[in-house]
């Protein structure tokens, strides 16, 4: 019976729950999410705040005259009463102000209009004039505090005062309650509440007025001059004396060895001298008192910075780099073509035929196998075999051409052995290949829910798994492939993936296209995602000389970013941006949110033929150092020969991606092993990352699809200009020969003292310390070189500082002044 009753009750309950759920679903909350509703609400609050403020302000002058009219409103017609009202906003203004001030909050009602105004302003303009949450707390406390104070004063005066309304009805009632509980102690409660509020609201941790500026350390009484009436400003610490006796106070020179005893337990008189002598031997050259105090300041400063940052975050929230383009919308999958998602048509008959041919070929060469299994991929099928015991792997590896002959197939690749498995793999191309579209890749969970910094949907593996790589961790990618094998499509896949996952504030591209036609399509997103040199008309770089300038400009950007990270105490871009978002870095000190920069070079071989070392050196330098500061390189070439992919470049690109190449030599050049020459083309590729080698089918993205994406992005509001890189001037565009020292910059001497003081001949140092642009800092460094203060330009190295001390510098500056004053 109990069981049946339980089931019956459960059934009824579930029915009620279903009804409740269905009824809830009927109510639509979408209206409150409508931007038009939010905008209307914001304007309503702004108008209400102004109306209420004017009504309350008018009450201070007209409230006494309107009081009797409002109180007798129920007995008098509204029209007649309205004629007698003197409030600036008429009858309703008088009623509103009467209730807010006289009946409720008193003078504290004036906190309400600014609060409504701040909320309305934030809703309409998406900006905070003041922290709404902080002001709300301030207004609530101050309002209640004033109500109680003014109400209590009114109560003690028996309510007889023309200003008795300032406490309001709420204040008067609070005063009656407090007087019954505390009497005159109400004033003490008010003072205590005020102090507690100030401490927590303004984050006060101490009262400096009652602190001793230089408190004496324990035991310092032993070195205080007893004849002096005032305490000395700086007292030497007993445990930090120096060996220079002339620096010691007169009273302590004679008995210097005995002083350290003050810091330890009082010993017997006979033990004082030996212990003091032992301590003297131990403390020969201690740090001076100033150095002892330095760590205290370096610890306190970060603490104060963190507290200020926490307060800013509480008031304004984390910094949002996307706020400037808050209306930006990411591209949707609807812009991409949808192809037939049918799997590769590998029939069981085809699998059996291939299996039989592989086994027959191995048996012909007296190689027995224990088992064989197949994994069907979009482009190739992997047959994994386990050979009999005692069979050398090299024997099977050498049969690659024979197996290809028996299968009548191109692109046979043998993996002997498969890493992490006790099997040997034989990759056989499918007769009917699967189309892997970019839409199917970007729609996978692996890409949609990725937390990678720079995610790229690279393609499908041989087991049909979506491979999503993080370019930020690679950190650079070298791409090779013969003409028509899918290299340009692969670059478009990388760019498209990043456009789908990153906001314009988080990512910038530097696009180098020597062929002039491959990347011109991306010019429409210039004001969103592209970076370029100042005074450059086109953001897509096609001229070789501009390529050299751009690469060197990126090196300057890299140096500047490293200086910024050094000042911020961050090791990499991710840590730095996290600090900036948490408002721990001050923009007034040169800090800003730093986007990732991805440099894409479509054809390296052409650049190496025309520029050679001018291109190789900055690329190698960026590849060596740029990872930590968020600059990543994707360099492609269709001719992976050793004079294009040099040892310097290759050593700094641990990740290599190869489409089909024409020879084994090219395969070894790009991948350090064969296999790329055995690929079947049309996006079939090998990814080498460290010791791993993965075969992938690159997704296909067509030119019309890219046009839709860039048109969608370009039609939205962007920044005023593209992201500007630092300006770079080549040796042919200026230099020492063109410098006239009689027309020196007004900051020449300041820059000279800065360079000599730091012993670092760096343009970026002058930029940061003197707060100058790159052009003026570059002219200053040229003038310093012409004056013999710094050495010649040495590429990536900082210039040598030829003047080693400030005395020599002042002599040189005096000579320059005299020489050019006479002329």
């Amino acid at each position: 019976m109990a069981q049946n009753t339980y089931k019956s009750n459960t059934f009824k309950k579930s029915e009620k729950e279903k009804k409740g759920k269905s009824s809830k679903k009927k109510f639509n909350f979408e209206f409150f999410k409508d931007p038009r509703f939010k905008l209307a609400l914001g304007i309503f609050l702004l108008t209400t705040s102004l109306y209420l403020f004017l009504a309350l302000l008018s009450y201070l002058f007209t409230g006494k005259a309107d009081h009797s009219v409002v109180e007798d409103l129920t007995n008098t017609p509204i029209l007649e009463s309205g004629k007698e009202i003197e409030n600036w906003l008429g009858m309703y203004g008088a009623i509103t102000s009467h209730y807010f001030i006289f009946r409720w909050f008193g003078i504290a009602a004036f906190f309400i209009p600014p609060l409504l105004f701040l909320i309305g302003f934030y809703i309409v303009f998406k900006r905070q004039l003041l922290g709404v949450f902080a002001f709300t707390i301030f207004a609530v406390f101050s309002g209640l505090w004033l109500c109680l104070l003014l109400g209590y004063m009114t109560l003690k005066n028996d309510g007889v005062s023309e200003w008795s309304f300032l406490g309001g009805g709420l204040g008067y009632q609070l005063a009656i309650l407090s007087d019954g509980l505390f009497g005159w102690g109400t004033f003490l409660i008010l003072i205590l509440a005020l102090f507690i509020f100030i401490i927590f609201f303004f984050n006060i941790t101490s009262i400096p007025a009652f602190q001793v500026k230089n408190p004496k350390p324990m035991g310092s009484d032993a070195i205080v001059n007893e004849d002096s009436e005032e305490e000395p400003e700086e007292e030497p610490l007993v445990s930090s004396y120096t060996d220079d006796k002339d620096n010691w106070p007169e009273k302590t020179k004679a008995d210097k060895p005995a002083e350290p005893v003050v810091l330890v337990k009082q010993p017997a008189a006979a033990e004082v001298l030996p212990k003091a002598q032992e301590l003297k031997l131990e403390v020969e050259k201690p740090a001076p008192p100033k150095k002892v105090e330095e760590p205290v300041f370096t610890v306190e400063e970060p603490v104060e910075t963190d507290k200020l940052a926490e307060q800013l975050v509480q008031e304004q929230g984390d910094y949002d780099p996307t706020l400037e383009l808050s209306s930006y919308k990411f591209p949707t999958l609807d812009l991409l073509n949808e192809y037939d998602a049918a799997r590769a048509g590998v029939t069981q008959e085809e699998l059996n035929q291939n299996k039989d041919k592989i086994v027959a070929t191995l048996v012909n060469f007296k190689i027995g196998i224990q088992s064989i299994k197949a994994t069907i991929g979009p482009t190739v099928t992997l047959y994994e075999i386990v050979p009999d015991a005692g069979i050398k792997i090299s024997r099977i590896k050498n049969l690659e051409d024979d197996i290809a002959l028996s299968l009548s197939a191109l692109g046979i690749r043998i993996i002997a052995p498969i890493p992490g498995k006790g099997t040997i793999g034989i990759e056989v191309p499918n007769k009917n290949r699967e189309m892997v579209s970019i839409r199917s890749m970007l729609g996978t969970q692996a890409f949609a829910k990725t937390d990678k910094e720079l995610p790229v949907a690279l393609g499908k593996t041989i087991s049909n798994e979506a491979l999503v790589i993080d370019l930020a961790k690679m950190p650079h990618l070298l791409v090779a492939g013969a003409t028509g094998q899918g290299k340009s499509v692969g670059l478009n896949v990388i760019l498209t993936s990043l456009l789908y996952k990153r906001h314009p504030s988080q990512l910038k591209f530097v696009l180098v296209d020597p062929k002039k036609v491959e990347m011109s399509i991306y010019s429409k997103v210039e004001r969103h995602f592209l970076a370029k040199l100042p005074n450059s008309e086109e953001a897509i770089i096609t001229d070789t000389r501009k390529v050299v300038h751009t690469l060197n400009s990126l090196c300057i950007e890299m140096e500047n970013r490293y200086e910024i990270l050094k000042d911020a105490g961050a090791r990499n871009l991710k840590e730095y941006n996290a600090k900036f978002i948490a408002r721990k870095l001050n923009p007034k000190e040169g800090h800003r949110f730093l986007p990732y920069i991805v440099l894409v070079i479509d054809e390296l071989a052409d650049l190496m033929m025309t520029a050679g070392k001018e291109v190789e050196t900055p690329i190698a330098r960026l590849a060596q150092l740029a990872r930590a500061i968020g600059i990543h390189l994707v360099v492609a070439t269709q001719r992976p020969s050793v004079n294009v992919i040099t040892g310097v470049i290759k050593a700094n690109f641990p990740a290599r991606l190869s489409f089909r190449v024409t020879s084994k030599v090219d395969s070894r050049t790009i991948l350090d092993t064969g296999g790329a020459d055995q690929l079947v083309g049309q996006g079939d590729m090998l990814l080498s990352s460290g010791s791993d080698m993965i075969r992938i089918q690159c997704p296909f993205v067509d030119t019309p699809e890219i046009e839709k994406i860039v048109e969608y992005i370009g039609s939205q509001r962007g920044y005023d200009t593209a992201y500007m890189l630092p300006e770079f001037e080549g040796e042919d565009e200026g230099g020492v020969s063109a410098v006239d020292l009689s027309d020196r910059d007004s900051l020449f001497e300041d820059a000279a003292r800065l360079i000599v003081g730091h012993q670092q001949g760096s343009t970026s140092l002058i930029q940061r310390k003197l707060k100058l642009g790159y052009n003026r800092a570059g002219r200053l460094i040229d003038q310093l070189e012409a004056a013999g203060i710094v050495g010649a330009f040495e590429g990536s190295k900082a210039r040598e500082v030829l003047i080693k001390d400030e005395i020599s510098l002042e002599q040189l500056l005096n000579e320059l002044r005299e020489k050019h004053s006479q002329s």
Side-chain angles (χ1 to χ4, degrees):
M1 292 294 291
Q3 189 175 2
N4 292 337
T5 304
Y6 174 80
K7 287 184 177 179
S8 176
N9 291 340
T10 304
F11 175 77
K12 291 179 180 179
K13 184 178 180 180
S14 62
E15 289 294 325
K16 291 179 180 179
E17 288 178 353
K18 289 180 180 178
K19 290 180 180 179
K21 289 181 180 178
S22 62
S23 61
K24 289 180 181 179
K25 288 181 180 178
K26 291 180 181 178
F27 190 82
N28 191 359
F29 289 93
E30 293 299 322
F31 174 74
F32 297 103
K33 299 178 182 179
D34 192 330
R36 295 172 296 180
F37 171 76
K38 294 181 180 178
L39 182 61
L41 176 62
I43 296 175
F44 172 77
L45 290 176
L46 289 175
T47 307
T48 302
S49 66
L50 181 61
Y51 179 89
L52 185 59
F53 175 75
L54 292 175
L56 298 179
L57 183 63
S58 176
Y59 183 87
L60 299 179
F61 305 99
T62 63
K64 188 175 180 180
D66 293 340
H67 180 83
S68 58
V69 179
V70 174
E71 288 289 337
D72 195 43
L73 191 62
T74 56
N75 301 322
T76 309
I78 294 179
L79 292 178
E80 294 183 11
S81 301
K83 294 177 182 179
E84 300 178 16
I85 290 295
E86 296 185 14
N87 190 284
W88 302 339
L89 299 183
M91 172 65 74
Y92 288 110
I95 295 173
T96 302
S97 58
H98 177 80
Y99 275 88
F100 270 91
I101 293 180
F102 184 80
R103 289 285 183 91
W104 295 338
F105 308 116
I107 199 68
F110 277 92
F111 285 109
I112 299 175
L115 179 59
L116 296 178
F117 183 85
L118 289 175
I119 297 173
F121 190 88
Y122 177 75
I123 293 175
V124 173
F125 300 104
K126 299 296 187 295
R127 295 181 181 273
Q128 288 192 3
L129 297 177
L130 292 173
V132 175
F133 180 73
F135 185 81
T136 302
I137 294 176
F138 178 82
V140 171
F141 173 82
S142 302
L144 292 174
W145 194 87
L146 278 174
C147 282
L148 179 56
L149 175 65
L150 297 174
Y152 194 75
M153 294 174 64
T154 300
L155 178 66
K156 288 304 177 183
N157 288 326
D158 297 327
V160 180
S161 172
E162 61 177 326
W163 300 106
S164 60
F165 68 89
L166 294 179
L170 175 63
Y172 193 78
Q173 295 300 322
L174 288 175
I176 294 174
L177 177 64
S178 181
D179 185 57
L181 295 175
F182 306 109
W184 286 100
T186 300
F187 287 110
L188 293 177
I189 298 299
L190 286 168
I191 294 172
L192 175 63
L194 180 62
F195 273 112
I196 292 176
F197 175 76
I198 291 173
I199 289 171
F200 281 93
F201 188 80
F202 295 101
N203 198 22
I204 297 174
T205 58
S206 61
I207 304 178
F210 298 100
Q211 293 182 347
V212 180
K213 291 183 178 179
N214 293 309
K216 296 183 290 184
M218 182 177 65
S220 60
D221 291 338
I223 60 171
V224 174
N225 191 345
E226 295 175 355
D227 298 330
S228 176
E229 294 181 0
E230 297 182 358
E231 189 176 75
E233 292 183 3
E234 293 186 4
E235 298 180 352
L237 301 177
V238 176
S239 61
S240 301
Y241 62 81
T242 65
D243 290 336
D244 187 0
K245 294 182 180 179
D246 296 332
N247 292 332
W248 281 74
E250 294 181 2
K251 186 171 180 66
T252 60
K253 284 181 182 178
D255 50 6
K256 172 183 173 183
E259 289 169 3
V261 179
V262 179
L263 298 181
V264 298
K265 182 180 179 180
Q266 285 290 348
E271 298 176 357
V272 171
L273 184 58
K275 287 189 176 181
Q277 289 175 344
E278 289 177 7
L279 185 58
K280 179 181 179 181
L281 291 174
E282 294 174 1
V283 190
E284 290 185 358
K285 292 183 179 180
K290 288 183 180 179
K291 291 184 179 179
V292 172
E293 294 175 0
E294 282 178 0
V296 177
F297 293 104
T298 57
V299 170
E300 288 179 355
E301 288 173 0
V303 171
E304 292 298 325
T305 302
D306 289 344
K307 289 181 179 178
L308 179 60
E310 290 177 2
Q311 184 177 349
L312 287 172
V313 170
Q314 289 178 356
E315 294 177 356
Q316 305 178 16
D318 288 337
Y319 171 78
D320 184 5
T322 67
L323 196 59
E324 189 173 353
L325 294 184
S326 58
S327 61
Y328 176 80
K329 295 181 180 179
F330 287 85
T332 62
L333 293 179
D334 297 338
L335 301 172
L336 303 173
N337 296 337
E338 188 171 6
Y339 296 94
D340 186 8
R343 298 289 301 275
V346 180
T347 63
Q348 187 65 39
E349 182 182 357
E350 182 182 346
L351 289 175
N352 292 333
Q353 288 177 356
N354 289 339
K355 180 200 71 171
D356 294 340
K357 290 176 181 179
I358 292 172
V359 172
T361 303
L362 295 176
V363 170
N364 289 338
F365 288 93
K366 298 180 181 179
I367 297 175
I369 61 174
Q370 296 180 3
S371 64
I372 181 170
K373 69 175 183 177
T375 302
I376 303 173
T379 305
V380 297
T381 298
L382 174 65
Y383 294 87
E384 293 182 61
I385 64 173
V386 178
D388 289 338
I391 301 297
K392 289 185 177 181
I393 294 177
S394 59
R395 291 181 60 192
I396 301 176
K397 181 68 176 174
N398 293 333
L399 295 176
E400 190 171 75
D401 294 336
D402 298 280
I403 296 174
L405 178 63
S406 68
L407 293 172
S408 302
L410 294 175
I412 298 295
R413 178 170 170 263
I414 295 180
I415 311 168
I418 296 177
K421 295 183 178 181
T423 59
I424 295 173
I426 303 175
E427 294 175 346
V428 181
N430 299 330
K431 292 180 180 179
N432 299 315
R433 299 175 57 174
E434 176 189 352
M435 162 66 78
V436 178
S437 66
I438 187 67
R439 177 168 181 163
S440 66
M441 286 297 303
L442 300 185
T444 60
Q445 292 293 318
F447 183 80
K449 296 187 177 180
T450 183
D451 58 351
K452 294 177 170 59
E453 294 294 314
L454 296 175
V456 176
L458 205 56
K460 283 189 177 182
T461 65
I462 204 166
S463 58
N464 278 289
E465 294 179 357
L467 179 65
V468 180
I469 63 170
D470 189 356
L471 185 59
K473 291 184 177 179
M474 298 191 82
H476 312 293
L477 185 61
L478 193 59
V479 183
T483 303
Q485 303 304 315
K487 177 173 55 64
S488 296
V489 173
L491 293 180
N492 286 330
V493 166
I494 293 173
L495 293 172
T496 302
S497 298
L498 295 175
L499 289 175
Y500 264 81
K501 290 300 288 187
R502 286 291 162 258
H503 189 274
S505 64
Q506 301 168 334
L507 174 66
K508 302 297 175 185
F509 294 113
V510 177
L511 302 182
V512 177
D513 182 17
K515 292 186 286 189
K516 301 182 178 19
V517 294
E518 292 290 347
M519 295 187 177
S520 58
I521 193 172
Y522 292 99
S523 60
K524 293 182 180 179
V525 295
E526 176 180 332
R527 293 185 300 110
H528 297 83
F529 283 101
L530 299 191
K532 66 178 184 180
L533 290 172
N535 303 320
S536 178
E537 295 181 2
E538 300 293 335
I540 312 294
I541 304 128
T542 56
D543 182 70
T544 304
R545 179 53 48 189
K546 288 185 178 179
V547 172
V548 174
H549 288 187
T550 302
L551 293 175
N552 284 284
S553 175
L554 280 173
C555 290
I556 297 169
E557 175 79 9
M558 177 181 69
E559 293 172 356
N560 293 343
R561 287 190 172 202
Y562 267 117
E563 292 293 338
I564 292 175
L565 261 66
K566 177 184 174 183
D567 293 342
R571 295 176 300 172
N572 53 55
L573 185 76
K574 190 173 181 180
E575 286 185 11
Y576 173 85
N577 281 341
K579 281 189 173 184
F580 191 85
I581 289 173
R583 302 188 184 274
K584 295 182 179 180
L585 302 174
N586 191 347
K588 294 182 180 179
E589 297 177 0
H591 293 292
R592 65 186 190 278
F593 184 84
L594 298 177
Y596 284 97
I597 297 178
V598 177
L599 168 64
V600 181
I601 300 177
D602 186 35
E603 185 48 71
L604 179 63
D606 183 73
L607 297 178
M608 293 296 289
M609 288 177 62
T610 55
K613 289 291 182 182
E614 291 184 274
V615 169
E616 179 185 5
T617 301
I619 287 178
R621 187 158 184 259
L622 288 169
Q624 287 172 342
L625 301 173
R627 172 183 182 175
I629 45 82
I631 299 178
H632 302 278
L633 282 61
V634 179
V635 179
T637 180
Q638 61 181 336
R639 188 161 54 87
S641 55
V642 291
N643 61 336
V644 175
I645 303 177
T646 63
V648 176
I649 292 178
K650 188 176 178 181
N652 295 292
F653 283 80
R656 289 83 171 275
L657 185 66
S658 180
F659 294 85
R660 188 173 185 272
V661 294
T662 55
S663 66
K664 291 184 181 292
V665 175
D666 288 347
S667 178
R668 292 191 184 97
T669 303
I670 181 69
L671 298 177
D672 294 327
T673 185
D677 56 310
Q678 296 294 330
L679 299 174
V680 295
Q682 295 184 340
D684 188 20
M685 58 187 180
L686 289 172
L687 174 65
S688 172
S689 180
S691 59
D692 296 334
M693 185 82 71
I694 307 172
R695 192 164 185 174
I696 311 166
Q697 175 59 45
C698 179
F700 176 70
V701 55
D702 203 1
T703 302
E705 294 178 279
I706 301 173
E707 289 177 347
K708 291 180 185 177
I709 296 169
V710 297
E711 186 68 35
Y712 181 84
I713 295 173
S715 63
Q716 302 183 53
R717 186 176 73 87
Y719 298 103
D720 295 335
T721 61
Y723 183 86
M724 290 300 171
L725 298 173
E727 188 169 353
F728 173 80
E729 293 184 358
E731 294 181 358
D732 57 334
E733 299 177 19
V736 181
S737 59
V739 173
D740 181 9
L741 287 179
S742 62
D743 187 23
R744 298 188 300 276
D745 193 287
S746 59
L747 293 176
F748 173 81
E749 295 189 1
D750 292 336
R753 295 187 181 97
L754 177 67
I755 291 295
V756 173
H758 285 76
Q759 286 295 299
Q760 179 184 346
S762 169
T763 306
S764 61
L765 177 66
I766 297 177
Q767 275 186 274
R768 289 185 295 105
K769 296 298 183 181
L770 299 183
K771 299 180 180 178
L772 303 177
Y774 184 79
N775 289 340
R776 188 176 181 186
R779 289 193 293 270
L780 277 168
I781 208 75
D782 287 339
Q783 292 176 5
L784 293 173
E785 180 184 352
I789 297 174
V790 298
F793 177 73
E794 299 182 21
S796 60
K797 296 182 181 178
R799 294 171 183 254
E800 180 185 1
V801 181
L802 304 178
I803 305 298
K804 301 302 180 184
D805 57 76
E806 295 183 0
I807 296 176
S808 302
L809 174 64
E810 293 301 327
Q811 293 175 351
L812 177 61
L813 294 177
N814 288 332
E815 292 174 2
L816 286 173
R817 294 191 202 104
E818 293 174 2
K819 178 180 177 180
H820 293 289
S821 63
Q822 294 174 359
S823 60

